[in-house]
Amino acid sequence: MQPFSIPVQITLQGSRRRQGRTAFPTSGKKKDTDYSDGDLADVHEKLPSSAGEDRAVLLGFAMMGFSVLMFFLLGTTILKPFMLSTRREESNCTTIHTHIMDDWLDCAFTCGVDCRGQGTFPCLQVFVNLAHSGQKALLHYNEEAVQINSKCFYTPKCHRNRNDLLNNALDIKEFFDHKNGTPFSCFYSPDSQSENVILVKKYDQMVIFHCLFWPSLTLLGGALIVGMVRLTQHLSLLCEKYSTAVRDEVGGKVPYMEQHRFKLWSTGRSKGRVEKS
């Protein structure tokens, strides 16, 4: 009976070893597959943004919206009148004479929420000699003064105090009387035969520059903030994918090393049992 017992034991042990070898790789493979599937699912999910990133994106969009609003307001109040205004060039003017018209012009003023009144204001006229053409011209304060009233140098704010209005007109008249014979800068229209000349330009190139520069800077800053936040999130997502790929590679090697180690241990143990038998 002894010669047959040894082969039976060896056969049983070999069968157990084969079952152990088959079971371990299957479980290890399943474990590796589950681990890998879980990581892939995490990678494809979008990384949650922090509260600081959300505030930064909100600030960027708010800046862009504010810049668009600035473009609209400045475009309707300054840029559009500038484009429609007559092109004017700089020249020198010399005061010829100034006087206040005897007939005061009518104007309207408000004295409350539902209170309106009628008043008059003195019309100051300033005649100058235009050095560019040598012709006599009527001087106005700016472009708006020409559009509101082409007869007067300017249109003061209407109110009831007639003495105050007269004193303001006399002060301006005295200022130009002191410049009698002294040339000063003025602006005329070369494309028009009109005798209207203005003292200052309301919409010059510097004003247009500021109207375009600051809204553009705000728009660029908002877009830059949003772009930097999106770039940071994208780089974080790439970093997470790279880390997951490294973990998958390391996780695939460890079960194989454990499997090889167990195989050597099982072979040595089986040989020891055979020798003992």
Side-chain angles (χ1 to χ4, degrees):
M1 297 299 292
Q2 186 174 1
F4 297 96
S5 61
I6 294 175
V8 171
Q9 292 178 359
I10 293 174
T11 303
L12 294 175
Q13 291 175 359
S15 177
R16 290 175 182 175
R17 288 196 299 268
R18 286 193 297 269
Q19 292 178 359
R21 291 173 184 175
T22 306
F24 185 82
T26 303
S27 61
K29 183 177 180 181
K30 185 177 185 305
K31 182 178 180 181
D32 189 20
T33 303
D34 294 339
Y35 179 79
S36 178
D37 292 341
D39 286 342
L40 289 176
D42 293 339
V43 168
H44 290 292
E45 292 181 358
K46 185 179 179 181
L47 293 177
S49 59
S50 62
E53 291 177 346
D54 293 338
R55 293 193 186 98
V57 172
L58 182 62
L59 176 62
F61 282 115
M63 291 175 63
M64 289 189 288
F66 181 70
S67 64
V68 173
L69 181 61
M70 289 176 63
F71 273 123
F72 176 75
L73 293 178
L74 296 178
T76 55
T77 57
I78 296 179
L79 294 179
K80 185 177 180 180
F82 174 78
M83 298 299 295
L84 296 177
S85 63
T86 306
R87 185 175 64 90
R88 295 180 182 274
E89 296 182 0
E90 187 175 0
S91 181
N92 290 328
C93 293
T94 306
T95 305
I96 299 177
H97 70 276
T98 61
H99 78 282
I100 297 176
M101 295 178 59
D102 296 333
D103 297 334
W104 286 30
L105 302 181
D106 296 332
C107 61
F109 62 90
T110 58
C111 52
V113 179
D114 297 328
C115 177
R116 294 181 179 272
Q118 295 292 328
T120 56
F121 69 93
C123 180
L124 173 64
Q125 292 183 332
V126 179
F127 293 93
V128 296
N129 183 21
L130 186 61
H132 173 72
S133 60
Q135 64 180 359
K136 182 179 179 181
L138 182 63
L139 183 67
H140 297 81
Y141 180 67
N142 55 19
E143 298 93 338
E144 286 187 350
V146 178
Q147 297 175 359
I148 295 175
N149 192 342
S150 60
K151 296 181 180 180
C152 307
F153 173 75
Y154 80 110
T155 302
K157 184 177 180 180
C158 187
H159 53 83
R160 292 179 178 178
N161 194 342
R162 292 171 55 90
N163 293 329
D164 190 14
L165 294 173
L166 180 60
N167 291 331
N168 291 335
L170 290 175
D171 291 339
I172 298 174
K173 182 178 182 302
E174 183 180 0
F175 171 80
F176 283 104
D177 289 340
H178 283 267
K179 281 185 171 293
N180 190 11
T182 303
F184 56 89
S185 177
C186 60
F187 299 91
Y188 71 99
S189 176
D191 300 332
S192 177
Q193 299 298 328
S194 177
E195 297 180 354
N196 295 324
V197 180
I198 62 174
L199 180 62
V200 295
K201 295 177 65 175
K202 183 177 181 180
Y203 307 113
D204 56 357
Q205 295 181 354
M206 187 58 64
V207 174
I208 303 302
F209 170 77
H210 286 289
C211 291
L212 296 176
F213 175 75
W214 295 111
S216 301
L217 183 63
T218 306
L219 180 62
L220 180 61
L224 185 62
I225 291 175
V226 175
M228 291 297 293
V229 172
R230 296 304 183 191
L231 179 61
T232 303
Q233 292 177 349
H234 179 68
L235 293 178
S236 300
L237 185 60
L238 292 180
C239 182
E240 183 65 22
K241 288 182 178 180
Y242 177 77
S243 300
T244 303
V246 172
R247 288 199 302 266
D248 290 343
E249 184 179 357
V250 174
K253 291 181 179 180
V254 171
Y256 174 78
M257 294 175 63
E258 292 181 355
Q259 177 183 355
H260 182 67
R261 192 179 303 163
F262 181 78
K263 182 179 180 180
L264 294 176
W265 177 78
S266 300
T267 304
R269 186 177 180 183
S270 62
K271 288 182 179 180
R273 287 182 179 178
V274 171
E275 292 176 356
K276 289 180 180 180
S277 301

